[in-house]
Amino acid sequence: KQEVTQIPAALSVPEGENLVLNCSFTDSAIYNLQWFRQDPGKGLTSLLLIQSSQREQTSGRLNASLDKSSGRSTLYIAASQPGDSATYLCAVVKRANAGGTSYGKLTFGQGTILTVHP
Amino acid sequence: NAGVTQTPKFQVLKTGQSMTLQCAQDMNHEYMSWYRQDPGMGLRLIHYSVGAGITDQGEVPNGYNVSRSTTEDFPLRLLSAAPSQTSVYFCASSWSASNRAQHFGDGTRLSIL
């Protein structure tokens, strides 16, 4: 069974710091890994998608890396801002078995609650 | 620029009542899915669809029905609401389940009394 773990559970940093969020998964047979942001009382916003054949993806101040063999991904946020405060979730889509488990199912970590204070 | 639209945003039901949560997307995505989000349990897949006319069960399907008569719409029906179904429900869509980003709606917050 695929399990996804995110460390740390919560992080509080001053504005301007560079920071790293960690995500690990137990089964390396994945299609892709996706990072999301969730603001309180809101839905999930897709930040970055990394295919299993890729090593990293970048969007603005965000950079996500993937080491599939070791079951790890990191989300790097450069020059953090108060507007970055949110819960960050990583999720993987496991490759379907021959028996046909839930296709396209995202398995989520519990998230990292990020607070960036001015 | 609507993306994935869910209605209603909030709903309170009594035990035993039925209702339908609506989900619509305007991106012509083939793959759509429903998740519920609960404290300590994270997000769990309820049902999914790989195209119009095709649906299948996720990991927590009991008490819920779905149908996919059009590409755009994927409603979730609660047959007889139970307090255990109190949750936040999210609909998601994607071009493909395996190699494209999945996009979520803003959710429906449902309370069952």
Side-chain angles (χ1 to χ4, degrees):
Chain A
K1 179 185 174 183
Q2 178 72 273
E3 294 182 356
V4 179
T5 304
Q6 292 188 244
I7 294 173
L11 184 63
S12 180
V13 299
E15 182 176 5
E17 273 205 7
N18 302 323
L19 54 98
V20 174
L21 308 182
N22 296 292
C23 172
S24 62
F25 47 95
T26 55
D27 188 339
S28 62
I30 62 170
Y31 282 123
N32 60 59
L33 183 145
Q34 196 166 353
W35 282 94
F36 295 91
R37 165 190 175 134
Q38 185 173 27
D39 294 286
K42 299 292 186 180
L44 283 70
T45 300
S46 178
L47 298 174
L48 289 165
L49 172 75
I50 311 178
Q51 303 292 355
S52 62
S53 58
Q54 297 176 322
R55 298 284 293 183
E56 66 178 317
Q57 284 288 328
T58 298
S59 176
R61 295 182 294 108
L62 305 179
N63 176 276
S65 67
L66 174 65
D67 184 342
K68 195 176 67 167
S69 61
S70 67
R72 295 182 180 184
S73 176
T74 61
L75 179 66
Y76 176 83
I77 302 177
S80 58
Q81 304 170 357
D84 294 330
S85 298
T87 298
Y88 290 79
L89 295 158
C90 71
V92 297
V93 175
K94 186 177 182 300
R95 289 193 174 274
N97 297 327
T101 55
S102 295
Y103 184 59
K105 170 189 166 184
L106 287 161
T107 299
F108 286 86
Q110 291 294 322
T112 293
I113 302 171
L114 173 65
T115 303
V116 182
H117 47 87
Chain B
N1 203 19
V4 180
T5 303
Q6 292 184 239
T7 57
K9 294 188 184 304
F10 304 93
Q11 185 71 48
V12 179
L13 291 178
K14 294 181 180 179
T15 297
Q17 287 184 316
S18 62
M19 80 161 293
T20 299
L21 280 62
Q22 301 292 343
C23 175
Q25 52 91 8
D26 61 359
M27 298 172 282
N28 205 31
H29 285 169
E30 289 295 328
Y31 183 83
M32 296 185 74
S33 57
W34 277 100
Y35 287 82
R36 59 179 290 176
Q37 185 176 36
D38 302 290
M41 301 294 291
L43 286 111
R44 292 176 292 170
L45 180 66
I46 305 171
H47 284 286
Y48 66 95
S49 169
V50 297
I54 306 169
T55 64
D56 208 343
Q57 296 181 352
E59 59 183 321
V60 288
N62 292 340
Y64 307 95
N65 273 357
V66 292
S67 60
R68 184 96 180 269
S69 56
T70 66
T71 299
E72 295 78 17
D73 299 301
F74 191 42
L76 178 72
R77 297 183 188 85
L78 279 69
L79 307 174
S80 176
S84 61
Q85 294 178 304
T86 293
S87 187
V88 182
Y89 291 85
F90 289 102
C91 178
S93 75
S94 175
W95 285 109
S96 162
S98 61
N99 61 7
R100 297 294 186 99
Q102 298 196 36
H103 301 276
F104 283 73
D106 285 340
T108 294
R109 284 146 186 83
L110 182 62
S111 292
I112 315 295
L113 304 178

